[in-house]
């Protein structure tokens, strides 16, 4: 849970204070006991106004709180409203806290404590972001039925979340990246779920281009104060009511999709990004390919398949609803 408080950090019922600021000390993190009146103070120190340092200091402070097995922390941000810094610090700090908690954490509550009204307003605006944009291809769109049958729509109804379906049939990851600024940024979401790669595999797009597209979309997310969530591309199958998937093509596409999934896993792990497994739930363990009972053709889930994907995605999103 995230909350924003206008006032002083003292007296709050939390297990630790994370004191962030543009401090003169070198290094990204200083930890230790504060004065006698302070129970536990974690200093997230960074120099200059580099937002990457803000993000790194926030992450390191949360890691320290995690090691101390703390569940509730209060975070003070630097009071600096010059040159739009307050807004950028709010974007970076809140999105980093969201990323950290979404990736899995014992921390249950983070309070952002601000002394200046403008800083408070900027942080409150970020914390109040509750939309989730789902950027993808036909598996996100809900083909061949339409958006009303999609896993996005199912979760929207089940969890009462504001989710925006930005899946376009046939899109590659490069095409998704090209429309990021128009289909994601204007919505000012708290999270963006990026699910792509299937069409790249079918079209034989080089893995390096897929990697570059994902990297740019993740970087764009960070710059806009959005927490990226990466989806592992769904399975494919030679079965299904309308399937005409040649065995040789299936093998080639499966190998390319496996390479894309493996890279996404490593990329997400390196950046500690939350992921959603859209692959395993549709698998038939005995054959190692998609279960024909979940597909309308070899490429797209049927109604039951979309329900299965929604159930899997809901495991993470039900938690994010409160962040």
């Amino acid at each position: 849970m995230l909350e924003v408080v206008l006032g002083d950090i003292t007296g709050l019922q939390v297990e630790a204070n994370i004191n962030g600021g543009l401090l003169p000390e070198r290094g990204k993190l200083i930890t230790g006991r504060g004065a006698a009146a302070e129970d536990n103070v974690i200093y997230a120190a960074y120099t200059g106004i580099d937002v990457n340092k803000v993000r790194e200091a926030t992450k390191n402070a949360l890691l320290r709180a995690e090691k101390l097995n703390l569940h509730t922390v209060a975070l003070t941000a630097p009071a600096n409203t010059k040159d739009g810094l307050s807004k950028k610090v709010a974007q970076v700090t809140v999105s980093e806290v969201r990323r950290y908690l979404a990736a899995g954490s014992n921390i249950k509550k983070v309070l952002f404590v601000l002394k200046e009204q403008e800083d408070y307003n900027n942080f409150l605006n970020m914390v109040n972001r509750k939309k989730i944009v789902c950027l993808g291809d036909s598996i996100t769109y809900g083909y061949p039925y339409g958006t009303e049958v999609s896993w996005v729509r199912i979760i929207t109804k089940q969890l009462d979340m504001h989710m925006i379906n930005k899946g376009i049939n046939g899109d590659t990851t490069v095409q998704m990246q090209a429309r990021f600024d128009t289909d994601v940024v204007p919505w000012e979401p708290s999270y963006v779920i990026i699910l792509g790669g299937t069409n790249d595999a079918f079209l034989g797009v080089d893995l390096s281009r897929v990697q570059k597209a994902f990297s740019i979309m993740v970087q764009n997310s960070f710059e806009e104060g959005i927490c990226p969530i990466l989806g592992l591309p769904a399975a494919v199958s030679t079965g299904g009511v309308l399937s005409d998937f040649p065995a040789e093509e299936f093998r080639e596409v499966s190998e390319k999709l496996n390479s894309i999934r493996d890279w996404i896993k490593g990329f997400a792990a390196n950046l500690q990004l939350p992921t959603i497994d859209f692959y395993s739930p549709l698998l038939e363990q005995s054959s190692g390919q998609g279960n024909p009972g979940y597909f309308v053709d070899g490429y797209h889930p049927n109604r039951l398949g979309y329900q299965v994907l929604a159930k899997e995605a809901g495991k993470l999103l039900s938690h994010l609803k409160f962040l």
Side-chain angles (χ1 to χ4, degrees):
M1 180 181 296
L2 307 182
E3 292 185 13
V4 185
V5 177
L6 179 62
D8 195 274
I9 200 168
T10 58
L12 293 175
Q13 297 301 309
V14 294
E15 295 172 297
N17 298 336
I18 297 177
N19 189 3
L22 303 179
L23 305 178
E25 291 90 350
R26 290 183 177 276
K28 299 172 182 175
L29 179 66
I30 304 173
T31 63
R33 288 283 177 180
E38 297 175 307
D39 295 325
N40 198 354
V41 179
I42 299 172
Y43 292 98
Y46 41 91
T47 59
I49 58 173
D50 186 341
V51 293
N52 291 322
K53 294 179 181 178
V54 178
R55 182 179 299 280
E56 188 72 9
T58 301
K59 179 185 74 173
N60 287 340
L62 291 170
L63 282 169
R64 176 61 177 166
E66 194 82 52
K67 289 180 180 178
L68 293 171
N69 197 30
L70 305 179
H71 298 89
T72 58
V73 297
L75 187 153
T76 57
N80 190 330
T81 58
K82 296 179 182 179
D83 302 323
L85 177 61
S86 175
K87 181 177 180 180
K88 181 56 67 175
V89 168
Q91 286 183 331
V92 171
T93 305
V94 175
S95 64
E96 178 58 21
V97 170
R98 281 189 165 124
R99 182 208 61 77
Y100 186 89
L101 299 185
S105 171
N106 290 321
I107 300 173
K108 304 301 180 185
K109 186 175 183 179
V110 176
L111 279 70
F112 302 99
V113 185
L114 296 309
K115 293 183 178 181
E116 302 296 331
Q117 186 68 50
E118 184 173 346
D119 298 324
Y120 169 82
N121 291 342
N122 286 325
F123 270 80
L124 185 63
N125 177 62
M126 285 300 301
V127 169
N128 283 342
R129 287 188 177 187
K130 299 298 181 183
K131 303 183 189 75
I132 299 177
V133 172
C134 303
L135 183 66
D137 50 34
S138 57
I139 309 300
T140 295
Y141 175 78
Y143 183 90
Y145 309 102
T147 56
E148 285 300 310
V149 178
S150 68
W151 59 267
V152 179
R153 183 57 178 167
I154 294 171
I155 293 175
T156 299
K157 293 179 178 179
Q158 291 180 345
L159 299 181
D160 190 27
M161 302 179 74
H162 190 166
M163 300 182 66
I164 299 106
N165 191 327
K166 288 297 178 178
I168 292 183
N169 298 332
D171 253 17
T172 64
T173 52
V174 174
Q175 291 171 312
M176 290 163 53
Q177 177 231 312
R179 57 188 175 91
F180 191 94
D181 286 344
T182 56
D183 281 6
V184 178
V185 175
W187 288 96
E188 296 188 338
S190 52
Y191 300 92
V192 56
I193 300 174
I194 303 172
L195 174 60
T198 300
N199 290 310
D200 298 82
F202 274 99
L203 295 173
V205 176
D206 191 80
L207 179 60
S208 63
R209 296 185 65 188
V210 178
Q211 295 170 340
K212 183 178 180 179
F214 267 103
S215 299
I216 292 174
M217 287 188 281
V218 167
Q219 183 60 39
N220 289 348
S221 299
F222 283 153
E223 291 175 357
E224 296 295 335
I226 304 167
C227 176
I229 301 171
L230 305 187
L232 301 183
V236 290
S237 173
T238 54
V241 177
L242 303 177
S243 180
D244 57 354
F245 206 162
E248 183 61 32
E249 183 181 4
F250 169 80
R251 284 192 293 272
E252 292 178 1
V253 170
S254 294
E255 289 176 1
K256 291 174 181 176
L257 279 173
N258 285 335
S259 296
I260 292 173
R261 291 188 198 100
D262 288 342
W263 179 82
I264 291 174
K265 290 177 185 177
F267 180 65
N270 184 52
L271 295 179
Q272 297 177 299
L273 298 178
T275 61
I276 298 176
D277 183 2
F278 289 97
Y279 170 62
S280 300
L282 298 183
L283 272 183
E284 183 180 60
Q285 298 301 325
S286 60
S287 66
Q289 64 171 283
N291 186 333
Y294 291 144
F295 288 83
V296 68
D297 53 25
Y299 332 110
H300 301 97
N302 56 23
R303 293 175 186 270
L304 179 58
Y306 282 120
Q307 292 173 14
V308 171
L309 293 183
K311 182 178 179 180
E312 182 65 28
K315 294 177 183 178
L316 174 64
L317 297 184
S318 60
H319 170 59
L320 302 189
K321 183 177 181 180
F322 302 101
L323 299 182

